[in-house]
Amino acid sequence: MIRIVRVRDYEDMSRQVANIISAQIILKPNCVLGLATGSTPIGAYQQLVEWYKKGDVDFSQVSSYNLDEYRGLNGDDPQSYRYFMNENLFNHVNIDIENTHVPDGSDPDADATCAEYDAMVAAAGYPDLQLLGIGNNGHIGFNEPDDHFSYGTHCVDLTESTIEANSRLFDKIEDVPRQAYTMGTHTIMSARAIVVAANGEKKAQAVHDMVYGPITPSCPASILQLHSNVILVADEAALSLCK
């Protein structure tokens, strides 16, 4: 079941998502968080940093597992998702950096990298709360539209639409990696609770298909209809087709 929380705008969405994350940490200080990257969660991370600085939230016992990483980038690369997480959250709160995990994009051995990451997430007991964005084409993590739902962490070829969407973060589109390591949909569905953040008109069709469309791997996010505890936090523009 997907519960919908309607918000006014990006700032309101960010505050609501941060509220859900901070509540999870307060309820279970040693919780496992599944985290996402991209432009959507930046505002929520900024809000969490602000609350941490005020003494309202304590990350000292928290562990985290990120959804994905570009293949071919090491964690020191400014375009890597490890770098993104350090810059937008980890370096500004009291989380133990040893308890933060991102797939190793620098390891060219895809099978070994993915198997190791799957084992770590499973050993942690899977996330208590998984944060997701949703792509314009309905992808979650880097699980792109396909003819089947993915299982564990795996290497994916990014679609042209995803490469184009992510090119805004690179100097030129040719610099965007063509592959990534990502948690599979089965791993994502193993989280005890999931919060999806979405804003903007470009996400409207994907949001509609996620909530009201058929459950199909051509819209990977649609599988979330089968999860028992999903909250969608979205602004009016993203919900414009959900009447």
Side-chain angles (χ1 to χ4, degrees):
M1 183 182 75
I2 300 177
R3 290 174 287 159
I4 298 175
V5 177
R6 288 180 177 265
V7 295
R8 294 184 303 276
D9 50 27
Y10 180 80
E11 288 72 24
D12 194 16
M13 179 203 74
S14 299
R15 192 162 47 250
Q16 293 283 359
V17 170
N19 264 327
I20 294 168
I21 296 172
S22 63
Q24 174 64 70
I25 296 170
I26 290 167
L27 286 169
K28 185 180 179 183
N30 65 338
C31 66
V32 178
L33 297 180
L35 298 178
T37 52
S39 55
T40 302
I42 289 176
Y45 293 154
Q46 290 173 338
Q47 183 66 77
L48 288 168
V49 170
E50 183 179 322
W51 287 339
Y52 162 72
K53 289 179 177 177
K54 289 181 178 178
D56 294 335
V57 60
D58 176 13
F59 289 84
S60 62
Q61 299 180 60
V62 171
S63 59
S64 70
Y65 293 82
N66 263 73
L67 284 165
D68 40 35
E69 178 62 281
Y70 285 122
R71 187 182 189 190
L73 300 187
N74 64 50
D76 295 328
D77 191 306
Q79 302 294 356
S80 73
Y81 285 163
R82 160 58 74 180
Y83 190 94
F84 174 98
M85 291 306 305
N86 289 346
E87 288 295 299
N88 287 284
L89 182 63
F90 299 154
N91 289 348
H92 308 288
V93 298
N94 64 332
I95 196 167
D96 183 346
I97 202 70
E98 295 296 319
N99 290 335
T100 66
H101 307 86
V102 181
D104 183 4
S106 67
D107 190 339
D109 188 335
D111 290 342
T113 297
C114 294
E116 180 182 5
Y117 201 66
D118 265 347
M120 285 195 297
V121 177
Y126 297 101
D128 294 293
L129 177 65
Q130 175 67 60
L131 172 62
L132 296 175
I134 180 170
N136 296 351
N137 62 1
H139 74 243
I140 49 176
F142 271 132
N143 293 286
E144 301 280 13
D146 206 336
D147 59 3
H148 65 282
F149 287 110
S150 58
Y151 193 79
T153 303
H154 58 291
C155 182
V156 295
D157 296 321
L158 304 183
T159 63
E160 288 304 317
S161 64
T162 297
I163 291 168
E164 183 178 349
N166 290 355
S167 65
R168 70 191 184 281
L169 304 172
F170 291 79
D171 291 335
K172 53 186 184 296
I173 195 167
E174 291 79 15
D175 294 339
V176 184
R178 264 47 187 175
Q179 291 184 313
Y181 297 135
T182 184
M183 281 187 191
T185 48
H186 178 273
T187 309
I188 292 168
M189 291 288 284
S190 297
R192 279 168 282 288
I194 297 173
V195 57
V196 184
N199 70 289
E201 191 174 349
K202 289 183 177 180
K203 301 294 177 72
Q205 188 64 56
V207 166
H208 172 273
D209 294 348
M210 173 180 70
V211 180
Y212 297 113
I215 298 171
T216 169
S218 64
C219 176
S222 65
I223 200 172
L224 298 177
Q225 294 176 37
L226 299 176
H227 197 283
S228 61
N229 188 5
V230 179
I231 301 174
L232 167 65
V233 183
D235 67 4
E236 292 295 339
L239 291 169
S240 58
L241 298 180
C242 298
K243 303 298 185 186

